[in-house]
């Protein structure tokens, strides 16, 4: 089976600096591939190349076998749910309207949108009776993030992109969100690309881990393989979760 | 005599409102689409704002004077007055509309695009609603300023409440001056209140 997302010799630069260099990666159906790396390693750029927010300078990014340059970008983006840090919710829309936006753009009828929004809000742990009518500024950070996830799932897209979705919440909330993510991951079985700089999060949510450094892929493998990697950059990330020795 | 004077104040007030209303409407038709276009083109943005800034600094009486000899838009009368009022209303409208659109959180704009909104949908459903309170503030400034500036229009035959004020000055009749100035002031206060109320309504969820 061909990969759902494929980076083929992709180079992308901005302001004269190469962000990604000869980058190759295949994301298989129904896996959650984590892009792990420091700030500036190119992981967010890789994500934005998938939904056409950025276009490769050289090489190709193929989604479902077709280069992004050949996709109708609106069609492409409707097949991809996108969750970002701080959720990027529309501040002038209620939770209901935020989650129901893409179905509305897809011209679903009103009763179908309503019931879909109710289902999704319940699924992400925001009882609609209590939360649907609220505005984003009336939610906690964790609740905003949940709304962002519900919005990304609205029309059941086959592909999901996560850009440090849980980076701006406290550790306890992050733990809850990760648990919920795992539940959704295992029931929905979407093809997901998940960007983080948190080693523990990468090991927890990813079925595979891709480690980026300086715009290049330097490790690709399962969590167990990552734990055993001797690569210095992988070691640096593993050190962040090492249990300190006590005397 | 009393009621005749009252009728004159009323009809000149109406004329004043028409002068301001037409000018503001025309300025909106130019400045708002203009600002939308400029929000997409950083190049001409600076030049346009600079130009609007310069126009704003021309003293109003001088601008009316400059316009008189210009064919088509100039001359003596309402048309010239409206052109000048439009010029003054452009800057606050242009600048506020631009600031409102450019002030939309980039993450919000990006997630709108990433959800597969077309550029028109991003503009209508995200950028303009979020910019609305700022645009309304610009409209309020432009309208209130315009009510004051329109008084000068009488100097070039534009009519409006300025007629009473200029007549009062030449006859050294402070009652006459006040009969023009007080309605203009009330008008400005009402416009300020009314548009301020609209502005708050637009920003309820911002």
């Amino acid at each position: 089976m061909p990969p759902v997302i494929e980076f083929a010799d992709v180079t992308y630069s901005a302001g004269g600096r190469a962000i990604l260099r000869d980058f190759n990666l295949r994301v298989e159906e129904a896996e959650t591939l984590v892009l792990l790396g420091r700030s500036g390693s190119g992981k967010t750029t890789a994500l934005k190349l998938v939904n056409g927010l950025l276009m490769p300078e050289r090489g190709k990014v193929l989604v479902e076998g077709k280069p992004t340059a050949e996709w109708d970008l609106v069609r492409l983006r409707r097949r991809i749910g996108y969750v970002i840090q701080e959720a990027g919710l529309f501040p002038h829309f209620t939770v209901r309207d935020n989650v129901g936006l893409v179905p509305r753009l897809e011209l679903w009828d009103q009763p179908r949108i309503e019931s879909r929004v109710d289902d999704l809000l319940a699924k992400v742990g925001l009882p609609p009776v209590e939360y649907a009518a609220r505005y984003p500024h009336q939610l906690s950070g964790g609740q905003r993030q949940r709304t962002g996830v519900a919005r990304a799932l609205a029309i059941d897209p086959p592909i999901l992109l996560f850009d440090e979705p849980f980076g701006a919440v406290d550790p306890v909330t992050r733990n809850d969100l990760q648990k919920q993510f795992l539940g959704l991951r295992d029931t929905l079985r979407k093809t997901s690309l998940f960007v983080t700089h948190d080693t523990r999060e990468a090991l927890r949510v990813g079925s595979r881990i891709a480690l980026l450094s300086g715009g290049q892929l330097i490790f690709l493998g399962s969590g167990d393989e990552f734990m055993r990697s001797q690569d210095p950059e992988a070691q640096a990330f593993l050190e962040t979760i090492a249990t300190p020795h006590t005397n | 005599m009393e009621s005749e004077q009252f009728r004159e104040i009323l009809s000149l007030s109406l004329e004043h409102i028409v002068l301001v209303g037409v000018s503001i409407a025309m300025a909106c038709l130019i400045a708002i689409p203009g600002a939308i276009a400029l929000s997409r083109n950083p190049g001409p943005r600076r030049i346009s704002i600079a130009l609007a800034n310069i126009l704003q600094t021309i003293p109003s009486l001088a601008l009316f004077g400059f316009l008189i000899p210009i064919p088509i838009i100039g001359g003596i009368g309402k048309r010239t007055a409206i052109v000048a009022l439009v010029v003054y209303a452009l800057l606050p409208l242009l600048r506020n509309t631009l600031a409102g659109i450019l002030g939309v959180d980039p993450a919000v704009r990006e997630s709108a695009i990433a959800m597969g909104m077309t550029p028109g949908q991003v503009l209508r459903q995200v950028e303009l609603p979020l910019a609305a309170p700022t645009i309304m503030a610009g409209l309020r400034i432009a309208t209130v300023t315009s009510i004051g500036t329109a008084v000068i229009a009488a100097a070039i035959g534009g009519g409006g409440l300025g007629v009473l004020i200029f007549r009062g000055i030449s006859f050294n009749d402070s009652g006459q001056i006040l009969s023009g100035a007080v309605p203009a002031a009330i008008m400005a206060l009402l416009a300020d209140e009314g548009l301020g109320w609209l502005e708050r309504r637009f920003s309820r969820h911002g």
Side-chain angles (χ1 to χ4, degrees):
Chain A
M1 199 186 284
V4 177
I5 302 167
E6 181 176 4
F7 294 84
D9 296 319
V10 171
T11 295
Y12 180 87
S13 45
R17 195 174 72 90
I19 313 277
L20 284 177
R21 275 180 298 161
D22 305 316
F23 184 69
N24 286 285
L25 183 69
R26 291 155 157 257
V27 187
E28 306 296 338
E29 187 168 355
E31 76 166 324
T32 299
L33 182 65
V34 169
L35 295 177
L36 180 65
R38 304 181 192 218
S39 307
S41 60
K43 51 197 195 308
T44 294
T45 300
L47 213 59
K48 290 182 179 176
L49 285 163
V50 176
N51 62 1
L53 288 176
L54 301 174
M55 284 291 165
E57 193 176 292
R58 280 206 309 275
K60 280 177 186 166
V61 178
L62 297 110
V63 177
E64 296 175 338
K66 190 158 122 184
T68 49
E70 290 171 25
W71 270 93
D72 166 359
L73 286 178
V74 169
R75 293 308 336 143
L76 173 70
R77 288 166 185 158
R78 298 279 166 84
R79 297 187 64 74
I80 302 176
Y82 187 53
V83 185
I84 59 176
Q85 190 172 324
E86 286 290 344
L89 297 176
F90 301 122
H92 58 307
F93 283 2
T94 60
V95 166
R96 174 176 298 289
D97 289 341
N98 265 288
V99 177
L101 178 69
V102 182
R104 214 158 51 244
L105 295 176
E106 290 279 306
L107 306 176
W108 287 19
D109 58 58
Q110 201 54 39
R112 187 172 168 216
I113 296 176
E114 298 272 317
S115 76
R116 178 65 179 161
V117 170
D118 286 349
D119 281 357
L120 282 168
L121 288 180
K123 204 176 268 178
V124 298
L126 297 173
V129 216
E130 194 177 339
Y131 293 101
R134 292 199 193 179
Y135 285 89
H137 70 90
Q138 297 167 316
L139 301 175
S140 70
Q143 290 163 347
R144 276 202 286 276
Q145 221 53 65
R146 288 170 196 268
T147 308
V149 171
R151 185 175 67 170
L153 292 171
I155 57 165
D156 203 22
I159 301 168
L160 295 173
L161 304 177
F162 295 88
D163 191 358
E164 296 192 26
F166 313 141
V169 295
D170 64 81
V172 178
T173 306
R174 187 182 313 152
N175 182 43
D176 289 343
L177 290 169
Q178 287 169 348
K179 259 194 283 192
Q180 181 175 57
F181 176 86
L182 290 174
L184 291 173
R185 185 192 75 174
D186 296 338
T187 50
L188 301 175
R189 300 186 51 75
K190 304 280 183 193
T191 305
S192 305
L193 204 48
F194 192 111
V195 162
T196 184
H197 55 224
D198 179 335
T199 317
R200 206 182 300 273
E201 183 164 82
L203 289 166
R204 191 171 186 191
V205 305
S207 45
R208 284 197 299 162
I209 293 174
L211 182 64
L212 272 74
S213 179
Q216 288 183 309
L217 182 66
I218 54 174
F219 168 89
L220 178 65
S222 69
D224 287 338
E225 287 163 344
F226 183 73
M227 298 281 273
R228 293 195 302 269
S229 171
Q230 293 305 307
D231 179 273
E233 183 71 359
Q235 289 287 321
F237 270 94
L238 287 167
E239 219 171 275
T240 64
I241 57 165
T243 320
H245 291 286
T246 48
N247 293 325
Chain B
M1 191 59 202
E2 279 284 293
S3 78
E4 198 178 311
Q5 195 178 7
F6 181 72
R7 256 204 301 278
E8 188 184 22
I9 294 175
L10 210 63
S11 91
L12 288 175
S13 294
L14 210 65
E15 201 172 36
H16 206 87
I17 291 172
V18 170
L19 218 52
V20 171
V22 170
S23 312
I24 293 294
M26 286 175 67
C28 284
L29 288 178
I30 300 168
I32 294 175
I36 291 168
L38 290 177
S39 72
R40 270 95 180 123
N41 302 290
R45 195 183 299 155
R46 277 170 166 277
I47 302 164
S48 309
I49 290 287
L51 193 70
N53 269 324
I54 292 169
L55 289 175
Q56 195 80 9
T57 62
I58 305 174
S60 48
L61 200 52
L63 182 62
F64 284 119
F66 286 142
L67 286 173
I68 291 173
I70 298 177
I72 303 169
I73 57 165
I76 294 283
K78 286 209 170 28
R79 200 175 40 207
T80 316
I82 288 172
V83 171
L85 292 175
V86 168
V87 167
Y88 284 116
L90 282 179
L91 180 69
L93 283 167
L94 196 69
R95 198 157 49 189
N96 277 44
T97 306
L98 254 181
I101 292 175
L102 296 178
V104 172
D105 181 354
V108 169
R109 184 181 291 114
E110 187 178 275
S111 67
I113 296 168
M115 289 166 80
M117 280 183 150
T118 62
Q121 287 167 335
V122 175
L123 178 70
R124 284 190 305 276
Q125 298 189 33
V126 180
E127 292 180 311
L128 285 181
L130 289 174
T134 321
I135 298 173
M136 288 304 299
L139 180 65
R140 185 157 66 109
I141 298 165
T143 308
V144 173
T145 316
S146 182
I147 291 170
T149 312
V151 168
I152 321 275
I156 53 156
L161 289 165
V163 169
L164 296 171
I165 296 174
F166 279 108
R167 195 194 294 154
I169 293 171
S170 55
F171 291 119
N172 200 11
D173 175 351
S174 44
Q176 186 86 262
I177 296 176
L178 283 176
S179 72
V182 170
I186 292 172
M187 217 178 272
L189 286 171
L190 286 178
D192 195 35
E193 270 305 306
L195 292 170
W197 176 81
L198 267 181
E199 190 182 321
R200 281 190 300 279
R201 269 194 62 105
F202 273 114
S203 58
R204 250 187 327 188
H205 312 300

